[in-house]
Amino acid sequence: MCGVGVVLSALLSGGAHAADLLTKAPPLPYVDDNFWTRPYLFGDLGRTKLKEQGISLALTLGDEAVTNLSGGNKNTGANAGQLWFQAKADMGKLFGIQGGTVGLTLVDRFGDNLNTEAGIPALQLTNEVFGRGNILRLTELYYSQKLFDDRLELKGGRLPVGSDFFFGECEFINLTFCGGQPGNIQGGYIFNWPVSQWAGVAHFNLTKELKISAGVYDANPNYLTTSDPTVYFLPGVPNSSAASGVLVPVELTWSPSGPLYGTWRFGGWYDSASTIDGGLPGIIQTIPGVGGVPDQNLGDQRGRYGIYESILQRVTVDGPKAQGWYVFLNTTVADHRTSFQDYQTAFGVKHTGTFTWRPDDEVGFAVGTTHVNSAAFGPNAGGNEVPLEAWYGWQATGWMNLKFDAQYVINPGGRGFNGAGIKTDNAWVLGARTVVHF
């Protein structure tokens, strides 16, 4: 199987990893030094030899340039991206500790948020790669050990929740369709990539295709800091005075194999914090576009929770590699007592091998919705934001992928009003994503 097929198989069999959030990883082993078809811009640089010895290295740039044709209070553009470095050490090859792995991921983000620059009051980012500070973050530093013929995996260290739970692909530019959906609507206490926190995770394979996973994550909003490098860059411990307890996700994963492979995730989470969360970075006191404070009659809510499903399935085999149609369906429902955004759902399709003479090119389309909770926050806060997105993905070279993208966001913010209470238009957004493997 070619590199594209290998990676798609890994993603759909439950192997999606946070580093795959923007695009497919280049193939290994390195067998081609043609500038246009080789998997890395700068060539192999000895990395294949290192991988054989137990050390894997990768450096990747992802950039999203977007502009709005309507919506907000002005038409403008924004550019944001991230450069991330990954290293993995196979402890079996290096030190004879079979089943052991040490992983490190550093992420450096840059750029601007189109929603802010254009005044689009959208609930979800229209350039999803923006966020959590234009700084260099420690996104992963962990040790993983497989036991009992690889049926059990124990993992601990600094981890984002999305490295081991939730939906892991990110092939769209609107955040509704990208990454860990619970973190999209509950970002005040579920931290998606690139934010990490101290955690312990266990995966147990009940059968070849069925796996159960559980984790415990230190719940502390100070992991979101952009001013304390001992926390965001080094594996330090944030100020414990802000600690709210623990976040516990549990997930059952079914990964049917064969030509029509897939990943079906069903899970939920419980956070022991006793506070009202706005679903935005930090605990909010006012509701965007509404003002005021949450209903004081809610009182001191004990704990927060939610459930989710994520289905990613190949439905046709249209060629010898990974060509075919793929579909996904994600739904998350959060605790209505404490959530500003209380549910989100997204459906999408993708076809790989768009043309016979372009076997690695792709097309994609998705539609989704995010709901503002009127039950807990009053009738003026209710409503649904509905984005639609379509793109064409051009595998320009072996090391560079380009996506040409169009979004249409209906009822931005769920009510279609900005923070000043002024009605805003639906937003047309055009964009391009560039991914380069160095």
Side-chain angles (χ1 to χ4, degrees):
M1 184 179 293
C2 75
V4 173
V6 169
V7 173
L8 279 171
S9 178
L11 288 173
L12 294 176
S13 64
H17 190 271
D20 299 312
L21 289 178
L22 281 179
T23 189
K24 298 174 282 293
L28 283 174
Y30 186 89
V31 295
D32 186 359
D33 199 37
N34 180 288
F35 178 78
W36 299 107
T37 59
R38 68 192 189 191
Y40 307 107
L41 172 61
F42 297 139
D44 185 57
L45 300 177
R47 75 188 80 196
T48 298
K49 185 65 174 179
L50 281 174
K51 184 176 177 65
E52 293 171 353
Q53 296 173 348
I55 299 176
S56 300
L57 301 174
L59 182 65
T60 307
L61 172 68
D63 183 87
E64 294 172 356
V66 289
T67 184
N68 67 310
L69 305 181
S70 66
N73 52 37
K74 65 178 179 179
N75 295 344
T76 187
N79 186 82
Q82 63 183 5
L83 180 69
W84 74 91
F85 168 79
Q86 267 198 312
K88 287 186 180 181
D90 184 329
M91 303 303 285
K93 292 181 178 180
L94 292 170
F95 303 108
I97 306 174
Q98 299 303 318
T101 302
V102 174
L104 169 69
T105 302
L106 300 174
V107 176
D108 188 10
R109 281 192 163 173
F110 57 87
D112 299 306
N113 173 13
L114 178 64
N115 290 353
T116 299
E117 297 300 311
I120 301 172
L123 301 170
Q124 302 296 304
L125 293 168
T126 48
N127 54 333
E128 57 76 28
V129 73
F130 175 83
R132 303 309 199 189
N134 291 341
I135 55 177
L136 179 63
R137 280 190 179 273
L138 174 67
T139 297
E140 292 179 315
L141 179 61
Y142 66 86
Y143 180 80
S144 168
Q145 182 65 54
K146 293 184 177 180
L147 302 166
F148 308 119
D149 295 325
D150 295 347
R151 293 194 67 182
L152 174 65
E153 180 186 9
L154 300 176
K155 189 176 183 181
R158 285 286 294 264
L159 294 164
V161 186
S163 286
D164 294 273
F165 299 89
F166 311 149
F167 174 75
E169 272 198 330
C170 187
E171 298 194 300
F172 290 78
I173 296 180
N174 190 291
L175 185 61
T176 308
F177 315 117
C178 175
Q181 196 177 65
N184 292 349
I185 63 172
Q186 297 299 308
Y189 69 97
I190 299 178
F191 309 146
N192 282 350
W193 165 292
V195 178
S196 65
Q197 58 214 104
W198 286 105
V201 176
H203 300 288
F204 184 72
N205 294 306
L206 300 170
T207 68
K208 183 179 179 181
E209 297 183 343
L210 193 63
K211 177 177 69 176
I212 188 167
S213 305
V216 178
Y217 294 78
D218 178 27
N220 188 326
N222 282 342
Y223 283 109
L224 299 178
T225 180
T226 59
S227 60
D228 186 355
T230 65
V231 175
Y232 70 71
F233 180 63
L234 299 174
V237 179
N239 187 338
S240 60
S241 64
S244 59
V246 294
L247 171 70
V248 180
V250 178
E251 182 175 282
L252 185 67
T253 306
W254 177 51
S255 303
S257 56
L260 298 181
Y261 43 83
T263 301
W264 298 56
R265 302 175 184 269
F266 304 91
W269 75 86
Y270 178 80
D271 181 87
S272 62
S274 55
T275 186
I276 294 174
D277 176 72
L280 298 171
I283 307 303
I284 66 167
Q285 297 299 316
T286 60
I287 302 172
V290 179
V293 297
D295 187 348
Q296 298 304 309
N297 295 325
L298 290 172
D300 183 28
Q301 300 297 326
R302 179 60 57 182
R304 300 175 282 196
Y305 55 86
I307 59 174
Y308 64 92
E309 61 77 21
S310 173
I311 299 171
L312 180 60
Q313 180 65 49
R314 185 177 187 177
V315 293
T316 68
V317 177
D318 297 342
K321 301 194 290 184
Q323 292 95 336
W325 283 100
Y326 302 79
V327 300
F328 71 83
L329 175 66
N330 302 321
T331 304
T332 297
V333 179
D335 180 2
H336 72 280
R337 305 167 309 152
T338 64
S339 303
F340 174 53
Q341 301 175 51
D342 60 347
Y343 72 77
Q344 184 179 89
T345 188
F347 171 78
V349 297
K350 179 184 73 172
H351 188 265
T352 298
T354 309
F355 304 107
T356 55
W357 62 93
R358 299 290 307 170
D360 295 326
D361 285 3
E362 299 175 322
V363 293
F365 172 79
V367 59
T369 187
T370 302
H371 180 254
V372 177
N373 182 7
S374 59
F377 292 88
N380 291 332
N384 284 77
E385 174 177 293
V386 180
L388 299 92
E389 183 172 356
W391 52 259
Y392 181 87
W394 176 38
Q395 192 64 42
T397 70
W399 43 266
M400 181 170 66
N401 182 272
L402 300 173
K403 277 197 172 98
F404 305 99
D405 182 270
Q407 303 174 49
Y408 185 58
V409 182
I410 302 170
N411 207 24
R415 298 170 62 247
F417 292 88
N418 63 18
I422 299 173
K423 182 68 176 178
T424 61
D425 293 334
N426 296 338
W428 272 107
V429 177
L430 300 181
R433 171 187 283 172
T434 304
V435 176
V436 178
H437 298 280
F438 297 103

